Each structure stands twice: as C-alpha cells, then as structure tokens.
Amino acid sequence: MHRLFAELEPSLTVTEQNLADRVRYILRSNIFDVAELERLRCEAVPSSDENATVEDAAPQMVEQPANVDAAVNTPVVVDSNDNGTVAQELELEHKRSTLEEAIVETRSTPLENRTRLPRIALSKRNRAVVRALKPMLVTYLEVSRDLCETESILFGAALATCRIIGAKVSTAGRATGHSSAIPAWRRRIEERIAKARALIGRLICFRSGNNRPRIVRTVRMAFAGTNVSLSQPDITQKLTERINDLKQRIAAWGKRIRRYTERSTRFNQNRLFQSDQKRLYESLERSMVSGTGPAPNQTDTVAFWRGLWSEPVNHSEGPWTEVVASQCAGITPMDPVIITPDDVAEAVRRAPNWKSPGLDGLHHYWLKGIMIKYEAKTV
C-alpha cells in the first residue's frame, strides 16, 4: 500500500506507519461508506490506458469541448489487479487493527472479567480469517515473556476473530465460581411458605378484631369454596383450625426442603466421587474445618509452630532404616519426565474443539488453529 501511494503522490513524504494510521482511522471512524470508498479509490488509481494517452487527449479536448462534461463524469476504469490489491490491503489493515485492539483489551482485563467466547462454525470463511491472523501474531509471540502473556495474546486473537466474522460476543464477564441460583423447586416451595405465612397473619388480625376491608376480603378468599361464613358464631374456632392447618403445611414444606436438599447433596457427592475423589474429600474437609469460632491468638500460634520447628530434636533411627536403604539401593531411578512441544500438540489435537474451557476461557479450537508453529512459546 505504501508503494502504491508513493507512485500516486511522489511529492508527499509519508511513512508506512503514518499511512497505516490514517487508513486505520478512516476505517474505524466510518467517515465514508463502502460505495464512497470505492469511488475515491477509482478516482485515485489511474488506469494504464489513461497514462498512455494523456498527451493525445489534449488536442481532442480542444476540438470537442462539448464532450468535456461527459468525460469528467465518466468513471475511470481501474485495473482489476490494482483494485484487488488495494482492497486486500485495506482488509488486512482492518484485521490488524482489530487484532491489536483485542490484545490490548485482553491484557488489561482480569481473567474473571473476560468475555465468553462463542462457538463459531467450522466454515472455510472462518478458517481463512484464522489463517490470516496467524502471521500477524509472530510479532506479539516473539516478545512474549511468559505463559500468561502468551495465553492473553491467544485469547486476543480469538476475540479478534469473533469480531471480524461478526460472531455474537457477550459483554458480561464469565462466572468463575459455582452458580448460587436457587433451584426452581425450592423457589416454588418458599413462595408457598411466604403466602401461607402472610395468610396466617391476616387471619390472626381478623381474629383479634381487625375488620378492615382488605383483611375481610383476604379471610373470605381463605374460606372460599366452603360453607363457612364470617357471621357464624363459631367463626373464631374455624379461624383457629385454619391457622393450625396452615402451620402444619408450612412445617411439612420445610421438611420437604430439607429432604430435597439432602438428596441433592448426596447425588452431587456420589457423582463427584466417580469423577474426582480428591475434590470430594477436599470439600468434605473444608466443610468440617470451616467454623464460626474465634480465630486463634497470634502469640499462641507462633509459640505452637516455634515449638515444632525451632527446637532441635535428636531422632534415634532403628535398624530397620538400614534394611530399607539396602533394599532400595538396587532400584533403578525413574527417568525424568520431559514434556516436549510434540506432546502438548498431540494432547491438544486429540482434545474436543469446544470442550468447556478453564479459567482462561480459551477453547481447544483456538489452540489447534493458532498454536501450530509456536508450541515452544507456550511450554
């Protein structure tokens, strides 16, 4: 693009960076639409035929002044190769600016506040965008200092790809912890309990002699469908029976919540025991250790650990240690485990594309599509 601009405007001295910044500003600000950009491009880039006949055109213009306006309004025919080159340069510049913005945004955003990357279709167009962004990442990956920075660059590339192809990216941060939403069944039961308690309050007010219209209307709705009338002499007894019935229902609903909660806890623990026993035991120990008692005193804590680690202790080893040492002398030590880039590439290749990502929010699809030549930077 800089070479073409130098050919068009040899009198202007513009650096490549300045020209790229101006093009990026035009594309971001949306000053011109696509049709206007195409028209300006056609006017700026002269055709080869026009340059070849520029000297012959002057006499013809003198002889035919009536055709001047038609010649001026006639669009200039641009070589298809030059037109395609300019369009490709503008498209690459747009992708480069989008990638730069995404990487800068990712670096300044904590992990828990990152946007959730959507699943994109495995189409040729999307793959072409990923392939076009790969050469642009070389500059960023070469100066990457550690694995965290490399991961942020990859996430920025994935975010830029989603924005270029027009995928819907949510602006809300990802949930990093377990969901604290109340289950639907518990919410329904708690709503029943709240309504029953409100009705009990209204019935008690009416029994105490409160005859406001709202209270009376609620009591009539409570006895709707029965033969109970508010003017009956035994209405106080009927109100007491109704109140006791509602209290028993509230107690039954509370027991149902406890029973369902215990059943859900057992189900989750059984499923976690099958998938990750270590995590299950850690959760059980955490619930047992975490208490609401007073925190230990700092002086007592320091004295306790100082008695364990600061005072010298003389251990008397028995003869069994020599027996164990002689038995272990003939054991060949295990070779050190070295994880190579090929091992990482093979593990990523076999992983599903859209498996649930970790805390970084990066799916395996992006590792497969981008990290092909840069495994050494991530190991």
Side-chain angles (χ1 to χ4, degrees), residues 98-99 102-103 106 115-118 120 129-130 133 137 151-165 167 169 354 360-363 365-367 370:
T98 305
L99 176 62
I103 292 178
T106 304
T115 58
R116 185 182 298 274
L117 295 177
I120 63 175
V129 174
V130 175
L133 293 181
L137 294 175
E151 186 275 331
S152 66
I153 295 173
L154 297 181
F155 190 90
L159 182 61
T161 303
C162 295
R163 291 177 177 176
I164 292 173
I165 66 178
V169 181
W354 303 111
D360 57 355
L362 198 63
H363 297 87
Y365 172 82
W366 306 109
L367 298 179
I370 300 176

Side-chain angles (χ1 to χ4, degrees), residues 272-289:
L272 186 59
F273 179 81
Q274 296 177 358
S275 60
D276 192 351
Q277 299 181 9
K278 180 180 178 181
R279 184 179 173 186
L280 171 63
Y281 294 139
E282 289 179 352
S283 62
L284 295 177
E285 293 176 358
R286 190 182 304 110
S287 60
M288 295 173 58
V289 172

Side-chain angles (χ1 to χ4, degrees), residues 54 71 94 162 170 196 240 248 266 341 346 365 368 376-377:
V54 65
H94 173 65
C162 295
S170 62
T240 304
Q248 293 177 3
R266 289 195 301 268
E346 182 65 18
Y365 172 82
K368 293 179 181 179
K377 299 295 291 183

Side-chain angles (χ1 to χ4, degrees), residues 74-148:
T74 303
V76 180
V77 179
V78 183
D79 189 3
S80 59
N81 295 331
D82 295 338
N83 191 8
T85 303
V86 175
Q88 291 178 1
E89 291 289 343
L90 292 176
E91 185 178 0
L92 289 176
E93 187 62 29
H94 173 65
K95 293 179 180 178
R96 186 177 292 105
S97 61
T98 305
L99 176 62
E100 181 181 355
E101 292 178 356
I103 292 178
V104 173
E105 178 183 348
T106 304
R107 286 178 175 175
S108 60
T109 304
L111 288 176
E112 59 273 9
N113 295 336
R114 285 184 179 179
T115 58
R116 185 182 298 274
L117 295 177
R119 298 182 179 183
I120 63 175
L122 303 179
S123 60
K124 294 182 179 180
R125 173 177 173 269
N126 296 343
R127 292 175 181 175
V129 174
V130 175
R131 287 195 300 268
L133 293 181
K134 283 172 57 177
M136 304 178 187
L137 294 175
V138 178
T139 306
Y140 300 97
L141 293 173
E142 287 179 350
V143 298
S144 177
R145 295 170 294 181
D146 52 11
L147 184 60
C148 296

Side-chain angles (χ1 to χ4, degrees), residues 7-54:
E7 295 177 357
L8 295 176
E9 300 291 340
S11 60
L12 298 179
T13 304
V14 180
T15 61
E16 298 180 359
Q17 183 63 37
N18 190 5
L19 182 60
D21 293 339
R22 292 177 181 272
V23 173
R24 187 183 299 110
Y25 171 75
I26 293 175
L27 294 177
R28 290 180 184 176
S29 58
N30 295 326
I31 299 177
F32 307 104
D33 55 3
V34 179
E36 187 68 16
L37 287 175
E38 188 67 23
R39 187 184 64 81
L40 294 175
R41 187 183 302 112
C42 294
E43 293 179 358
V45 180
S47 63
S48 58
D49 296 338
E50 183 181 357
N51 293 332
T53 60
V54 65

Side-chain angles (χ1 to χ4, degrees), residues 122-321:
L122 303 179
S123 60
K124 294 182 179 180
R125 173 177 173 269
N126 296 343
R127 292 175 181 175
V129 174
V130 175
R131 287 195 300 268
L133 293 181
K134 283 172 57 177
M136 304 178 187
L137 294 175
V138 178
T139 306
Y140 300 97
L141 293 173
E142 287 179 350
V143 298
S144 177
R145 295 170 294 181
D146 52 11
L147 184 60
C148 296
E149 187 173 356
T150 301
E151 186 275 331
S152 66
I153 295 173
L154 297 181
F155 190 90
L159 182 61
T161 303
C162 295
R163 291 177 177 176
I164 292 173
I165 66 178
K168 185 177 180 181
V169 181
S170 62
T171 57
R174 297 178 293 109
T176 57
H178 298 285
S179 176
S180 59
I182 301 176
W185 59 267
R186 182 166 182 170
R187 187 166 56 252
R188 289 194 298 267
I189 297 177
E190 289 180 351
E191 289 177 357
R192 296 175 189 173
I193 293 176
K195 292 180 180 179
R197 288 176 176 173
L199 182 57
I200 289 175
R202 298 289 178 88
L203 294 177
I204 292 176
C205 290
F206 183 79
R207 190 178 58 179
S208 302
N210 190 345
N211 295 326
R212 288 186 300 176
R214 182 181 300 177
I215 301 296
V216 175
R217 185 168 58 252
T218 304
V219 174
R220 288 177 179 176
M221 293 176 59
F223 290 103
T226 62
N227 295 326
V228 179
S229 176
L230 301 185
S231 60
Q232 293 180 358
D234 58 344
I235 187 61
T236 303
Q237 180 181 359
K238 297 295 183 181
L239 290 172
T240 304
E241 293 177 356
R242 181 62 173 167
I243 292 172
N244 294 334
D245 179 67
L246 292 175
K247 290 182 178 180
Q248 293 177 3
R249 290 188 179 185
I250 291 175
W253 288 333
K255 292 180 180 179
R256 183 181 299 179
I257 290 178
R258 290 191 295 270
R259 187 172 65 253
Y260 287 178
T261 303
E262 293 175 357
R263 189 262 177 191
S264 177
T265 303
R266 289 195 301 268
F267 175 79
N268 294 331
Q269 289 178 353
N270 293 335
R271 186 172 59 179
L272 186 59
F273 179 81
Q274 296 177 358
S275 60
D276 192 351
Q277 299 181 9
K278 180 180 178 181
R279 184 179 173 186
L280 171 63
Y281 294 139
E282 289 179 352
S283 62
L284 295 177
E285 293 176 358
R286 190 182 304 110
S287 60
M288 295 173 58
V289 172
S290 60
T292 58
N297 188 7
Q298 182 178 2
T299 306
D300 297 338
T301 304
V302 172
F304 174 79
W305 289 108
R306 182 174 295 172
L308 294 178
W309 298 104
S310 299
E311 298 180 0
V313 180
N314 297 324
H315 298 281
S316 58
E317 301 293 347
W320 62 271
T321 56

